[in-house]
Amino acid sequence: QVQLEESGGGLVQAGGSLRLSCAAPGGVFNSLTIGWFRQTPGKEREFVGAVIWDAGNPYYADILKGRVTISRDYVQNKVHLQMNSLKPEGTDVYYCAAGSQVLGAMRDSSMYVYWGQGTQITVSS
């Protein structure tokens, strides 16, 4: 069941930037934790970053720190993932997710209840 909606994916050149957005079709995020994950074909889903909707600072995967930024838009009720210095790694699918009982397990995808359908990003050389 698709409960969130990602947008902003597409084709980008290596070294370029891209911003993804995540929206909750049924309403606002309230106090949910919103996470971003990516999945490379043939590999496990990988944690990118996460943030609590109405509190605290974002958390990022160590290998992506300095290259990704998560921001919250309280007016449009969206969470954005800004990605810079993209590497030519082919095509990945990015997902946004949300959960109310994530707490300190933000990196664990199984802790998230609501998921989007995913948006595809292709980084070319």
Side-chain angles (χ1 to χ4, degrees):
Q1 183 179 11
V2 178
Q3 298 172 299
L4 305 175
E5 182 178 358
E6 306 96 339
S7 61
L11 177 65
V12 63
Q13 291 183 334
S17 300
L18 200 63
R19 189 178 77 162
L20 305 181
S21 298
C22 178
V28 299
F29 287 106
N30 295 322
S31 60
L32 297 175
T33 297
I34 302 94
W36 286 95
F37 296 84
R38 69 178 178 183
Q39 189 163 27
T40 300
K43 296 184 178 181
E44 295 291 326
R45 191 159 43 196
E46 180 184 15
F47 175 76
V48 175
V51 69
I52 300 174
W53 174 249
D54 52 1
N57 298 315
Y59 294 85
Y60 303 105
D62 291 338
I63 61 174
L64 297 175
K65 288 182 178 179
R67 296 173 54 209
V68 299
T69 301
I70 295 175
S71 60
R72 295 158 291 197
D73 187 335
Y74 293 132
V75 177
Q76 296 186 345
N77 295 316
K78 294 182 178 180
V79 176
H80 303 292
L81 175 65
Q82 177 72 39
M83 298 180 290
N84 303 317
S85 301
L86 290 167
K87 298 180 179 180
E89 299 176 340
T91 299
D92 297 319
V93 178
Y94 282 72
Y95 299 90
C96 69
S100 61
Q101 298 180 341
V102 176
L103 299 178
M106 293 182 175
R107 294 167 174 79
D108 187 355
S109 62
S110 67
M111 298 298 296
Y112 294 83
V113 177
Y114 311 104
W115 289 85
Q117 81 287 350
T119 185
Q120 185 172 276
I121 295 178
T122 299
V123 183
S124 64
S125 301

